[in-house]
Amino acid sequence: MKLSRRDLLKAGAFAGAATALPLQRMVSGIDAFSRRMPASKLPTPYSVPFARPKSATPVMSTANKDYFRIDMRATQLEILPGYKTVTYAYNGQVPGPVIRVNQGREAIVRHTNMLPKVHDRLAYEPWTSVHLHGSASLPQYDGYASDITRPGESKDYRYPNFQPARTLWYHDHGVHHTAQNAYQGLVAMYIMSDPLEQALNLPSGEYDVPLHIGDAMFERDGNLLFTLDDASGMWGDVFLVNGRPWPNMQVKRRKYRFRVLNNCISRSLDYRLSNNAPFHVIATDGGLTSEPLEVTHIRHAGAERYEVVIDFSNYTVGTKLQLLNTSPQNNRDYPNMDRIMQFEVTGESFTTLDNNLPPVLNPSSPVMALQESQAVATRAFRFRRIGGAWTINGTTWADVVSSNYQFTLADPLKDSVEIWSLENPSGGWFHPVHIHLVDFQILDRNGAPPQPWERGPKDVVYVGEGEIVRVIMKFEGRGRYMMHCHNLVHEDHDMMGQFNVVDPAQAGDDPMGTLAKPIAQMGPLVP
Amino acid sequence: MTAVVERPTHAGRAVRSTSMDVAIALAALAAIAHLVEAPYHFQWWPASGITFVVIGLLQAAFALSLLRSEPSPRLIQVGIWGTVGVVLLYLVSRTIGIPFSPGVPVHGAKLLPGMPLLPDGDKQVGPVDMLTLVAEVALVVVLLGQLPRRARRRTANGLMWCGLSIWGLAILGALT
């Protein structure tokens, strides 16, 4: 090679230019963490008081319907003491307002996207799609990922509320931006009650407590820091419980019902009380268990809900108990991510009317009565990363889109019972798998019985490293519904597909059949 | 002056220069990287996947032609400017974005200019990207050294202006 110094300089001008910009982009990805707020500026765990999300008030109720209006807006909130954080909030709250409904009353919710046209830091258009997680809604009201509501648009969602009492949650499901939207605050609970649950006299009112457990990372200016970690997940260094960092909750010397939702974007939890005292699981994703399940810890993936009763009656006033996290494998850990929140026992008086934990809860759940012998089909779904893309049986949501939303991973018959085998062959990550529309029963995990806390109706299951989890379900309803990994970064990077519940007598509704409209074209919410 | 790409052995057989061996290795590395990445890009956008396959095959063919016989200055020029084109295409994809890449096909929604389909997905620069890019840039420099003096000077000038243009566009904010 005969290059003169001059030739080398000229070629160097090209070489430098060609590599500098990509190098800068690569380094800035790594460098995102350098913008992270130092741990010394984060609040000391348990120094911030606990808060509960407020409830939504219906704009109107009729004999059998309740109407709600929820606006999504960019809202500045104080999450870390002394800092303002721009969030995306339902009705100005993070987490959003709790919608409370009774079984048998339809809810109509007008969701309006008043978010900015473009996210000022992440440079994406924050289109949304609202999924009521846990509801057997019609396909067009299920938050189908591609059924988006763009900024300046609105859509009325109809929720049937015919299922048993349960803790649901509504959250963003907009195609490719679910993780960012949910991370910034578009999550909230939706609590449905029924006569069976009400008759049990479980802790209620102030003793029935929603617990959103999320994680976040902050920039030095207090704004949320969003990183993708090579599309493996978003891992925060602060636990937020109902939007408060590592809060301290004052509790009375009695039983409390906690509705625990892991709304972390990617993180899974394994939590226990600091004294390892047992507590009782009374409900899972799809509602009450047959009886209280005594546990000392729960492995809890994103989107799962566990309702637990903790009895503080045996503790002396002033006792402090912490809810601690033993992080399951393949999470990214930071200091203080081994603690979630604190309970401080007080001597305040309380009512004993609903201080109850009955020995029998719901012994006749149809899904928990399903038997393997009833299954007419068994299907296998492999959740794998292939060439950078997260896939289900080698396919992604892009296959659904490119087929004009016709491509399906399965076509079960309406009212049929099937067993689905959910397989994670990797040792490098776990997948919380969510199947829309249905409640399912976990049959086994790698051939072993489900974990003690999982023995109730579910709609998300933790499919851990190297695990094969078999679930059984009955397909009531009809039409196309999504199934996906609920690590929202995996979901956005396309680990999502759909199945079609086929009714030979009638076609299912089109999930893209009732689209959002510009706000000005929306008629009155209440007819 | 012609480039020295082969040197005689004691037995009188011609062997390739070390520089040419390096060029073959670099071209092959780039070809393999493009072919391996093609299926992933095909999933995102078939045109992108096809582009990766075509680039990979061309780079493989170029490596093969260097392996088989002494390349002509014309072939070396094709190798240089073809590789520069691939590098420029990559630069555009990682800065302003491919302008004619598809929007998300949801009722009328289109990506805003420069907005990635997946969050940061098509603008991320991973280690494999960087390794391939460095290989291609190094290939350009090695090939430049194989050209006759006059052609080398002209080509070096072209590369310089190409580089200065990139720097200029970056400074003006056109490549961000």
Side-chain angles (χ1 to χ4, degrees):
Chain A
M1 192 159 79
K2 300 173 296 178
L3 283 173
S4 67
R5 195 174 300 167
R6 183 176 291 183
D7 290 337
L8 271 175
L9 276 173
K10 289 173 180 174
F14 167 74
T19 51
L21 287 170
L23 188 63
Q24 180 267 338
R25 197 167 286 278
M26 186 166 91
V27 171
S28 71
I30 299 163
D31 188 51
F33 289 103
S34 71
R35 303 199 304 272
R36 173 181 155 207
M37 182 169 287
S40 59
K41 296 264 177 85
L42 296 173
T44 308
Y46 321 135
S47 62
V48 173
F50 178 79
R52 299 161 193 254
K54 292 178 191 150
S55 294
T57 308
V59 293
M60 188 176 175
S61 293
T62 64
N64 56 1
K65 290 185 175 66
D66 296 305
Y67 296 85
F68 296 88
R69 196 188 295 275
I70 305 284
D71 292 341
M72 296 166 250
R73 293 176 193 269
T75 306
Q76 248 192 4
L77 297 173
E78 183 173 313
I79 298 174
L80 301 179
Y83 291 92
K84 293 289 184 191
T85 303
V86 176
T87 64
Y88 282 180
Y90 290 127
N91 283 1
Q93 288 181 223
V94 174
V98 180
I99 294 179
R100 294 178 186 272
V101 295
N102 283 319
Q103 186 190 52
R105 293 181 61 80
E106 188 184 18
I108 295 98
V109 185
R110 175 164 294 180
H111 282 285
T112 302
N113 183 343
M114 305 183 84
L115 297 168
K117 294 280 183 201
V118 179
H119 191 287
D120 60 349
R121 289 168 177 244
L122 301 176
Y124 75 98
E125 180 183 352
W127 57 56
T128 60
S129 177
V130 183
H131 172 48
L132 178 55
H133 188 134
S135 171
S137 308
L138 289 171
Q140 64 271 38
Y141 304 122
D142 192 49
Y144 196 69
S146 295
D147 172 25
I148 59 166
T149 300
R150 304 181 68 189
E153 292 184 335
S154 195
K155 174 167 174 167
D156 293 345
Y157 287 80
R158 306 183 80 94
Y159 301 129
N161 299 331
F162 64 82
Q163 295 160 289
R166 62 187 59 197
T167 299
L168 307 94
W169 62 303
Y170 57 103
H171 65 85
D172 189 63
H173 214 300
V175 63
H176 296 318
H177 295 305
T178 298
Q180 291 146 313
N181 289 345
Y183 180 62
Q184 289 168 102
L186 295 182
V187 294
M189 275 194 197
Y190 182 109
I191 294 173
M192 180 165 52
S193 185
D194 68 9
L196 169 67
E197 182 207 28
Q198 287 157 15
L200 292 172
N201 211 18
L202 291 160
S204 62
E206 71 168 296
Y207 310 110
D208 178 356
V209 186
L211 284 188
H212 287 259
I213 301 178
D215 63 340
M217 188 174 274
F218 294 85
E219 298 195 7
R220 289 171 186 275
D221 64 1
N223 275 302
L224 290 165
L225 175 61
F226 186 83
T227 62
L228 284 171
D229 195 8
D230 189 28
S232 71
M234 167 65 224
W235 316 92
D237 60 355
V238 176
F239 266 126
L240 299 175
V241 180
N242 295 345
R244 299 292 183 100
W246 300 291
N248 179 61
M249 179 187 183
Q250 295 197 325
V251 293
K252 298 173 185 174
R253 299 180 63 224
R254 54 155 290 156
K255 294 184 178 71
Y256 280 71
R257 173 185 188 173
F258 293 100
R259 299 172 186 263
V260 189
L261 161 67
N262 176 354
N263 65 242
C264 295
I265 301 305
S266 304
R267 184 178 295 282
S268 65
L269 315 167
D270 194 337
Y271 50 80
R272 61 184 172 83
L273 290 167
S274 48
N275 62 354
N276 291 314
F279 51 97
H280 291 90
V281 174
I282 60 165
T284 50
D285 309 332
L288 293 166
T289 52
S290 57
E291 69 276 322
L293 308 168
E294 186 175 289
V295 297
T296 54
H297 72 106
I298 295 178
R299 184 176 77 161
H300 193 156
E304 287 184 298
R305 288 88 70 210
Y306 289 105
E307 296 183 37
V308 300
V309 170
I310 302 179
D311 189 351
F312 297 102
S313 61
N314 291 327
Y315 299 108
T316 54
V317 173
T319 301
K320 292 178 178 174
L321 283 173
Q322 292 82 36
L323 189 65
L324 302 179
N325 173 41
T326 309
S327 197
Q329 63 175 313
N330 288 315
N331 287 284
R332 310 279 182 274
D333 288 324
Y334 297 99
N336 289 331
M337 295 309 280
D338 56 350
R339 49 191 86 185
I340 299 173
M341 65 178 293
Q342 178 170 269
F343 303 104
E344 182 180 0
V345 181
T346 71
E348 285 183 62
S349 60
F350 55 86
T351 174
T352 54
L353 286 178
D354 56 358
N355 195 14
N356 202 26
L357 181 58
V360 177
L361 298 168
N362 181 9
S364 55
S365 163
V367 65
M368 298 310 291
L370 290 176
Q371 301 291 321
E372 285 192 52
S373 58
Q374 293 174 259
V376 297
T378 299
R379 302 178 198 265
F381 301 91
R382 293 196 112 200
F383 292 75
R384 297 175 64 201
R385 190 173 207 185
I386 302 174
W390 299 99
T391 69
I392 305 174
N393 283 354
T395 70
T396 68
W397 190 250
D399 295 296
V400 175
V401 173
S402 61
S403 71
N404 196 26
Y405 311 108
Q406 300 305 309
F407 173 74
T408 56
L409 289 164
D411 297 277
L413 279 174
K414 177 175 165 46
D415 295 327
S416 66
V417 176
E418 295 199 359
I419 293 171
W420 285 13
S421 172
L422 310 171
E423 303 174 10
N424 174 11
S426 164
W429 37 75
F430 55 89
H431 299 297
V433 175
H434 174 37
I435 304 172
H436 285 228
L437 177 68
V438 295
D439 294 339
F440 55 73
Q441 177 196 152
I442 301 174
L443 289 173
D444 49 47
R445 173 177 276 107
N446 285 352
Q451 300 287 356
W453 53 85
E454 294 177 314
R455 297 173 187 179
K458 298 279 293 164
D459 57 38
V460 181
V461 62
Y462 197 127
V463 185
E465 295 79 356
E467 288 186 349
I468 298 175
V469 181
R470 291 194 316 141
V471 300
I472 187 169
M473 69 214 106
K474 183 174 183 181
F475 290 90
E476 292 160 304
R478 62 175 74 84
R480 282 166 281 153
Y481 289 91
M482 296 171 287
M483 63 183 294
H484 57 89
C485 175
H486 222 291
N487 176 332
L488 297 180
V489 177
H490 294 186
E491 178 187 326
D492 281 340
H493 290 72
D494 248 7
M495 192 174 253
M496 183 159 63
Q498 65 176 353
F499 59 96
N500 185 22
V501 182
V502 177
D503 180 354
Q506 187 183 344
D509 289 356
D510 181 358
M512 297 290 283
T514 305
L515 301 177
K517 295 179 197 166
I519 295 169
Q521 293 175 22
M522 296 295 287
L525 170 60
V526 184
Chain B
M1 178 184 288
T2 52
V4 178
V5 294
E6 294 183 355
R7 61 176 185 265
T9 64
H10 293 296
R13 281 187 296 121
V15 295
R16 285 184 305 277
S17 67
T18 306
S19 301
M20 198 51 72
D21 286 340
V22 171
I24 291 166
L26 292 170
L29 178 67
I32 291 166
H34 281 107
L35 293 172
V36 167
E37 288 291 311
Y40 171 59
H41 285 264
F42 196 86
Q43 282 184 336
W44 167 55
W45 181 31
S48 170
I50 291 166
T51 305
F52 267 69
V53 171
V54 170
I55 290 173
L57 290 177
L58 287 174
Q59 286 174 325
F62 182 67
L64 205 60
S65 66
L66 296 184
L67 189 68
R68 280 187 170 166
S69 61
E70 177 185 353
S72 67
R74 183 180 291 272
L75 181 64
I76 293 174
Q77 290 275 15
V78 168
I80 289 174
W81 292 109
T83 306
V84 168
V86 173
V87 168
L88 291 180
L89 184 63
Y90 179 76
L91 262 186
V92 169
S93 76
R94 290 311 189 260
T95 51
I96 57 177
I98 300 290
F100 42 85
S101 59
V104 180
V106 279
H107 69 285
K110 286 284 177 196
L111 294 178
L112 300 180
M115 193 178 284
L117 174 67
L118 303 179
D120 293 335
D122 61 354
K123 283 191 176 180
Q124 284 179 353
V125 178
V128 175
D129 299 38
M130 207 61 212
L131 181 68
T132 311
L133 180 65
V134 168
E136 287 169 340
V137 169
L139 175 63
V140 168
V141 176
V142 172
L143 290 175
L144 181 68
Q146 308 304 311
L147 285 172
R149 178 186 286 177
R150 217 162 142 192
R152 189 165 68 232
R153 187 171 300 163
R154 275 204 312 272
T155 307
N157 285 340
L159 288 173
M160 180 188 70
W161 285 114
C162 189
L164 292 177
S165 302
I166 295 168
W167 284 117
L169 288 170
I171 289 165
L172 291 172
L175 290 176
T176 55

